[in-house]
Amino acid sequence: MTQHDRLLIIDFGSQVTQLIARRLRELNVYCEIHPYNRVDEAFLRAFAPKAVIFSGGPASVYWQDAPMPPKGVFELGVPILGICYGQQVMMHCLGGHVEGGHGTAEFGRAFVTPAAERLPLLEGWFEGGTEQVWMSHGDHVSKIAPGFRVYGTSPNAPFAITADPERHFYAVQFHPEVHHTPKGAKLYENFVRLAGFKGDWTMGAYREEAIRKIREQVGDAKVICGLSGGVDSSVAAVLIHEAIGDQLTCVFVDHGLLRLGEAEQVVTMFRDHYNMPLIHADESDLFLGALEGVSDPEVKRKTIGRLFIDVFQKHATEVGGAQFLAQGTLYPDVIESVSFSGGPSVTIKSHHNVGGLPEKMGLKLVEPLRELFKDEVRALGRELGLPQSFIGRHPFPGPGLAIRCPGEITREKLDILRRADAVYIDQIRRHGLYDEIWQAFAAILPMRTVGVMGDGRTYDYALALRAVTSVDGMTADYYPFTHDFLGETATRIINEVKGINRVFYDCTSKPPGTIELE
Ligand code: XMP
């Protein structure tokens, strides 16, 4: 058990509960998220939180079987912060009233005005008058509970911020954890300060805790890990290796769709530098053979996904008796697989992962990064001593260059693409732009165009350059390179890469585009 102060987040099912945890980790506060129906009085006693947060959620307090907080939580004597549904349920339990129906819903940006009385929770707020917040609620509080007073109102939420400062119970109608509430982080900072947290929970502590949990979960069983060379699976592998040593074997499937020098880099780093048992499965003939003549993006993705599983399974059995499969699943991967409306969502692309394998092979999953966001994984990687050049690498998709080669894939095109991409990335690095960009890559277009080089005619491939900024890959803006940069890069590529005679820059953001071309 950790000796750090602990904060308990009781989850009522909000889409953004993990963001609360993230805001708290940014404040070096240790927290755990537990669903409301798994927390009872005994759990509360054992967990001994120094503060509690009730998340938002989709329910209404007057539904039959509405989610309720555990008995005894208000008697713990610790500060409680209720957010959105968390506010409503708090009011409901403590003697206030909540209403729903027409005209009470509010979604999107709102502005909160302060009340005359100041609240320490709101230190740093309202310096410029009102504060922008993000609302997302169907019901609203119509009467606050005894002991509570109002500290902020918005046009549609007269009880936007309420508190019983004596008991340290705070309740807000909006979501302070999302970026659209610009001062939200300050509110959490004030809350944990009022609760007396020392703020001593660091990535170092996270690492120790993660290692302890991996050992506990795995015991002396064997684990296999699909290593892609990307940051996530690499950090997961190094962390798990630190926890259980050679009980871990990594399988690196080279599908022939990697970038220039990539396979060598991965093998050198993991096998030679980290001394990890690593199976390097060179299966490029198999994959490229199966992709011959395939031009439909979904067929490509599905073919690669299916073969990947087959190959992985074939090599994983060599390990013999593995009971666990390790994956570098991140939190955004977890939420992206859940539809916002709760209903089935449209499949834009069949993302490639090793899904399906665990059931097929009777494996259990080890996913030590499941709660983390990309930048937190990078911080953990740094903590584990992975080189910065590796940690800072742009994401690279599982299907690799296949989805950067729209239309039919040939070895010739892949070879041209690899060399052009290397020049483009080199240009970006030379200009010191690599770390400003979320992801940059070249794609070879399924067309040839006419050009003139020296005194001769050329009839070669056209190349598209892509570069985007993003926080999580779910939305993205194209990167505004200067014309000088673009001109210089196009010239270098055409001069240095035989087979390309025309270069385009893709100025599409996401949406409406996607980051990859397929
Ligand atoms: P899109 O093209 O969907 O990409 O806007 C969003 C982010 O996801 C990456 N991507 C993938 N990553 N397997 C992965 O591991 C995949 O099948 C896959 N498809 C896209 C893409 O590179 C970008 O970072």
Side-chain angles (χ1 to χ4, degrees), residues 296-331:
D296 180 86
E298 279 298 285
V299 178
K300 278 186 191 174
R301 282 178 170 272
K302 294 213 164 104
T303 305
I304 296 169
R306 180 175 46 78
L307 286 180
F308 189 92
I309 291 180
D310 291 350
V311 168
F312 189 85
Q313 186 172 14
K314 181 176 92 189
H315 292 283
T317 35
E318 287 172 26
V319 175
Q323 289 176 24
F324 291 90
L325 172 72
Q327 289 193 326
T329 316
L330 306 194
Y331 183 63

Side-chain angles (χ1 to χ4, degrees), residues 129-143:
T130 59
E131 241 17 291
Q132 182 188 314
V133 299
W134 188 257
M135 296 281 191
S136 177
H137 60 101
D139 303 338
H140 73 287
V141 172
S142 55
K143 183 175 143 253

Side-chain angles (χ1 to χ4, degrees), residues 301 349-352 395 397-399 403 438-439 473 510 514-516:
R301 282 178 170 272
K349 299 177 181 185
S350 308
H351 270 225
H352 155 109
I403 56 176
W438 158 270
Q439 201 169 5
K510 173 182 179 179
T514 55
I515 295 178
E516 304 290 344

Side-chain angles (χ1 to χ4, degrees), residues 236-254:
V238 174
L239 182 70
I240 295 169
H241 190 245
E242 197 165 304
I244 58 167
D246 289 358
Q247 281 167 254
L248 171 73
T249 302
C250 292
V251 182
F252 173 54
V253 179
D254 181 348

